[in-house]
Amino acid sequence: MDGHQPEKARAAKEDHRAEPASSTRSPPLPILPRERAAIFLLGFAAFLPLYAPQSVLPQLASSFSASPAETGAVIGATTLAVALSAPLAGPLTDRFGRKRSMLAAISTLVPLTLLLTLCGTLDELLAVRFAQGIVLPALFTGAVAYIGTRWDGARGASVTGMFVTGSAIGGFAGRFVSGLLADLAGWQSGFAALAVVSALCAVFVALWLTPDTARQTGSILSNLRGMREHLRDGRIRAVSLCGGTVLFSMTGCLSYLGFHLAAPPFELTAAGIGLVFLVYPLSATAPLVNSRLLHALGTGNAYRVAFGVCMVGQLLLLLPHLAAVAVGTGIFLGGVFLCQSLALGYVGRVATTNKGAAAGLYVCCFYLGGSLGAIAPGLLWKTAGWPGCVALVLAALSLGALMSLAMREGSRTAADPA
């Protein structure tokens, strides 16, 4: 134990530099309408390309003569890259300035998205999708840090809500536009349209978002060291692993839902599959009830209720009726959004030092789970089909609900490693 004390002391000093005391903050700043719009567009641009291929995966499988599992890797490649680069994004956006870093990320996504239209093999497509995932965390972490240092309290919560709303609309738009245009002019046309939309987002963010200054905060090494320290807290481990099961379930379900809907009895086109995702923005309103759940049930119970909502949605997806599938998708996504909102709030409450490293650890586990979820159900597809996919998702949700038993409020107990 004693041998770790110098290292802990250095980490504490770096935490102190990375998180200035609230007494040094400027007076509360007003929120300009153009800034609200810019924050919305940041969330929109971040999630526009992330899951966009989900509605055209059956077309990609046909174009490249690939299996569902191989095609599912188109989603898994991006989420894996997000998981790997997330711990680096926070220190880098701090060092170079958050607005500058976020604009660089959106501007890089434009040619990468256009490059998708030129891919002639599945391997080329996977390589470009991986590159997109490397860039995306600069938008996630940069936006959250920008909001946190510019506004706090009710103002900060209000602007964060704009980012979350933009994320939900962006996630829907990416799936919807790619599916709609795929039927009209092939899957490449959808990605070309998304590149144009991303370019417009970059222009308006550049015009509307107030510049910030570069900040000399903790290094990448200190951020990784902080993540290692947080791994010793059983509560942070639990919520991070729960997050992994949530995104495993989401990518596992939505990546293979298209294959299910393209087959009998539904036989939907890519545009029809995209229309099913109209429930996405409605489901994104679920986190509005999280404060009531927390007050009534406490963290662990609220989280398990959210997992239960996800399971109900999954069971509806087994019914051979399109209306039931649409409703089930909406209920499932509502539970997913509620889980994520509860988890992010929990990380912020229980991580008393180096909150950025704690958030980075959660995001890393979250997207690693998503990478596995994009591929694992496909391995069952040939033998078990859609019921096997649903069974695997239900098993992951059950595991997450079980791990949530370790999520407690307050300080670490003696049972947790120190």
Side-chain angles (χ1 to χ4, degrees):
M1 268 317 260
D2 291 341
H4 293 289
Q5 293 307 314
E7 183 178 341
K8 289 184 177 180
R10 287 195 302 271
K13 290 178 181 177
E14 286 161 346
D15 289 347
H16 179 72
R17 289 196 300 269
E19 298 181 14
S22 57
S23 61
T24 63
R25 288 192 177 206
S26 302
L29 295 169
I31 308 170
L32 303 177
R34 62 178 174 81
E35 291 177 320
R36 285 185 180 274
I39 294 295
F40 174 90
L41 289 175
L42 284 172
F44 183 90
F47 282 82
L48 185 70
L50 185 55
Y51 301 112
Q54 282 180 331
S55 57
V56 296
L57 286 180
Q59 279 199 2
L60 294 177
S62 176
S63 295
F64 297 115
S65 300
S67 69
E70 291 171 328
T71 314
V74 171
I75 304 297
T78 308
T79 53
L80 176 61
V82 170
L84 295 176
S85 60
L88 313 179
L92 289 176
T93 56
D94 285 349
R95 189 169 296 272
F96 294 107
R98 285 149 190 167
K99 178 179 179 178
R100 184 185 303 170
S101 299
M102 291 186 289
L103 279 175
I106 302 176
S107 300
T108 305
L109 285 171
V110 173
L112 286 176
T113 306
L114 282 174
L115 196 56
L116 291 173
T117 67
L118 303 177
C119 293
T121 67
L122 185 59
D123 287 342
E124 291 175 356
L125 197 68
L126 292 175
V128 178
R129 288 284 295 168
F130 187 86
Q132 285 184 313
I134 293 293
V135 173
L136 283 170
L139 285 173
F140 306 153
T141 60
V144 172
Y146 180 94
I147 294 168
T149 54
R150 189 165 176 80
W151 302 285
D152 56 12
R155 285 185 174 88
S158 173
V159 182
T160 300
M162 290 300 296
F163 181 79
V164 172
T165 301
S167 301
I169 301 300
F172 158 71
R175 295 172 171 98
F176 179 71
V177 171
S178 60
L180 181 65
L181 293 181
D183 276 350
L184 300 176
W187 59 265
Q188 294 92 340
S189 62
F191 294 132
L194 294 181
V196 173
V197 174
S198 294
L200 290 173
C201 288
V203 170
F204 287 112
V205 168
L207 292 174
W208 293 342
L209 193 66
T210 302
D212 64 325
T213 56
R215 312 165 69 89
Q216 294 297 322
T217 60
S219 65
I220 292 174
L221 184 60
S222 69
N223 197 54
L224 294 173
R225 198 156 45 223
M227 291 173 64
R228 186 183 66 185
E229 289 296 316
H230 283 303
L231 272 174
R232 300 183 179 185
D233 189 334
R235 301 165 306 164
I236 299 293
R237 286 199 306 270
V239 71
S240 298
L241 291 173
C242 283
T245 65
V246 169
L247 197 59
F248 177 98
S249 303
M250 182 177 174
T251 55
C253 173
L254 299 187
S255 296
Y256 295 91
L257 181 61
F259 290 100
H260 177 53
L261 293 176
F266 307 107
E267 298 183 330
L268 295 186
T269 63
I273 294 169
L275 285 172
V276 172
F277 290 111
L278 281 171
V279 300
Y280 198 95
L282 295 175
S283 302
T285 63
L288 295 176
V289 304
N290 67 357
S291 60
R292 295 181 184 177
L293 278 178
L294 282 171
H295 180 73
L297 303 175
T299 298
N301 288 332
Y303 212 57
R304 286 185 284 279
V305 165
F307 273 115
V309 171
C310 293
M311 292 178 185
V312 170
Q314 283 295 301
L315 292 173
L316 288 174
L317 293 178
L318 291 172
L319 299 177
H321 305 289
L322 186 57
V325 171
V327 172
T329 302
I331 292 174
F332 169 70
L333 286 173
V336 166
F337 289 131
L338 188 55
C339 281
Q340 187 173 4
S341 176
L342 290 168
L344 288 172
Y346 182 77
V347 170
R349 291 195 303 276
V350 301
T352 56
T353 61
N354 206 339
K355 293 178 182 288
L361 178 62
Y362 174 81
V363 169
C364 185
C365 292
F366 187 71
Y367 283 101
L368 281 175
S371 302
L372 292 174
I375 299 172
L379 301 177
L380 294 175
W381 191 265
K382 189 173 182 179
T383 55
W386 179 245
C389 177
V390 171
L392 186 60
V393 168
L394 287 171
L397 291 170
S398 300
L399 179 61
L402 183 64
M403 288 188 296
S404 71
L405 292 171
M407 291 171 58
R408 309 178 288 278
E409 299 288 352
S411 58
R412 289 194 294 192
T413 66
D416 295 323

